[in-house]
Amino acid sequence: MTAVPPDDALGGLVDLGDLIDAVRTAHSDLALGRAEQPVPAISGTDAGTIVLPMVATSHRLGLTVVKVLTDAPGNREGDGPVQQSTVVVLDSRTGARLAVMNGGTCTRMRTAAASGVATDALARHDSRVLGLVGAGPLAVEHAAAVRRVRPIDTVVVWSRSASRVTAFRDALRQRERADGVPALEVIAAPGPRQVVEAADVLCTLTPSRSPVVEGAWFRPGQHVNAVGAPPRPDHREIDSHGMARASVFVDSADIQLQKSGEVLLSLKDGATTEDDFRCELGAVLAGLVPGRAGLEQITLFNSVGIALQDLAFAALALKRTSWTTPNA
């Protein structure tokens, strides 16, 4: 088994541009039958902890990933991490264990990479203003990813905590220096509505149980990446009107229809039908279905996060540790 660096060193192994390309290929593989992404089963414990095992296989790479995500709300009392994850990489032919890695950096980077892929496929080419609802580490990674695919020059950001916006600005400046790219203009917004109304590309990055963004705020031609809500049927960031107003693209239709609160709650409200959530991003990338149909269309990538994206990250990380994939 390959020795993999600790989680805080994993980011240095994987170039974000390479990861965007790898995630793009992974989604195309899923649409073309070159990968498997079953619906994960959620298990609960007596302590109220949620355990979510996520599995994916790439036939092209000969790899299987098992990611175990835990959500332990009780950890807040002891200032422990509420959400943790572990990624196990297997040779899909022999079942041999190839690596085990912490999932924090992997999850953050592959989530932003998927938003970068969706933005590249669906957003208007003249998009220059990035809106961020949420200002944590995922926001920094999203700014880095989206500017890779669109000529972003301004970021409008909101968080419930002013100190988090300040920390975001400082972390973004540090990231820009490390990446050797020009500094983006950062504007702190007084509320999420002002972010939405200013943004060409909007990313929602909060683990909210109730909508923080209303569809009435959407602008014609806007692209939205709804990223923050975990795969739980009672969590959502976008209200039902927003899901109905936008043309929605998903990472996995089967998973969305069972696990996404954005999807299930808008269906319950009668604002949408299941057919509104059948169009997968991979099918757009593979040329099987159209993406953006016009300049005024509102597009929305609803992301719950899939293990195939973790597999894309793991394959790149392990290549940098002198390991080669079985079918490479």
Side-chain angles (χ1 to χ4, degrees):
M1 182 177 68
T2 300
V4 177
D7 192 52
D8 58 2
L10 281 172
L13 286 176
V14 176
D15 175 77
L16 181 57
D18 290 342
L19 182 57
I20 290 172
D21 290 339
V23 169
R24 182 184 290 113
T25 300
H27 277 277
S28 294
D29 283 347
L30 184 60
L32 295 172
R34 296 196 288 249
E36 305 291 336
Q37 180 58 75
V39 178
I42 298 178
S43 299
T45 70
D46 293 339
T49 297
I50 299 296
V51 180
L52 180 68
M54 303 163 63
V55 181
T57 294
S58 168
H59 302 306
R60 179 176 53 84
L61 295 176
L63 293 177
T64 293
V65 153
V66 182
K67 179 181 183 179
V68 181
L69 175 68
T70 60
D71 197 339
N75 286 351
R76 289 192 182 95
E77 297 178 4
D79 292 326
V82 172
Q83 195 171 87
Q84 302 174 77
S85 59
T86 303
V87 178
V88 181
V89 188
L90 308 172
D91 183 315
S92 60
R93 295 174 300 178
T94 67
R97 184 181 62 190
L98 301 173
V100 179
M101 62 183 72
N102 291 329
T105 296
C106 171
T107 301
R108 184 177 70 251
M109 289 188 66
R110 63 79 153 155
T111 301
S115 293
V117 170
T119 300
D120 194 28
L122 300 170
R124 288 173 49 145
H125 291 283
D126 58 355
S127 299
R128 306 191 72 88
V129 179
L130 173 63
L132 300 173
V133 176
L138 193 56
V140 176
E141 205 68 45
H142 269 73
V146 174
R147 74 180 302 176
R148 293 279 184 127
V149 300
R150 287 296 181 271
I152 300 299
D153 53 32
T154 304
V155 177
V156 181
V157 58
W158 171 83
S159 172
R160 290 185 174 90
S161 167
S163 63
R164 287 183 72 85
V165 173
T166 299
F168 163 78
R169 191 191 303 267
D170 294 342
L172 181 61
R173 292 292 179 257
Q174 183 178 355
R175 177 63 177 267
E176 289 165 341
R177 288 192 293 269
D179 291 346
V181 296
L184 298 171
E185 181 182 7
V186 177
I187 300 172
R193 177 169 186 165
Q194 288 77 13
V195 175
V196 177
E197 291 177 343
D200 299 318
V201 175
L202 172 70
C203 299
T204 61
L205 309 169
T206 66
S208 182
R209 285 183 178 270
S210 57
V212 291
V213 168
E214 297 181 17
W217 305 340
F218 288 165
R219 295 193 298 108
Q222 195 167 50
H223 173 68
V224 181
N225 297 306
V227 175
R232 311 282 190 276
D234 59 344
H235 286 66
R236 63 172 169 175
E237 299 179 286
I238 313 294
D239 68 1
S240 294
H241 177 54
M243 299 304 288
R245 189 176 176 200
S247 298
V248 179
F249 302 81
V250 300
D251 40 20
S252 165
D254 290 342
I255 295 176
Q256 293 270 342
L257 288 166
Q258 293 191 42
K259 307 295 183 184
S260 169
E262 255 99 5
V263 170
L264 295 173
L265 292 171
S266 68
L267 289 172
K268 182 179 178 180
D269 290 342
T272 59
T273 70
E274 289 190 1
D275 287 342
D276 293 319
F277 306 110
R278 298 289 185 188
C279 190
E280 295 187 351
L281 176 61
V284 176
L285 298 170
L288 302 177
V289 298
R292 172 173 289 276
L295 293 178
E296 299 299 296
Q297 183 182 20
I298 299 168
T299 55
L300 188 151
F301 174 53
N302 196 46
S303 172
V304 293
I306 57 176
L308 198 59
Q309 297 163 354
D310 298 298
L311 190 153
F313 178 95
L316 290 175
L318 291 172
K319 282 183 179 180
R320 293 292 301 274
T321 58
S322 301
W323 177 85
T324 56
T325 57
N327 292 342

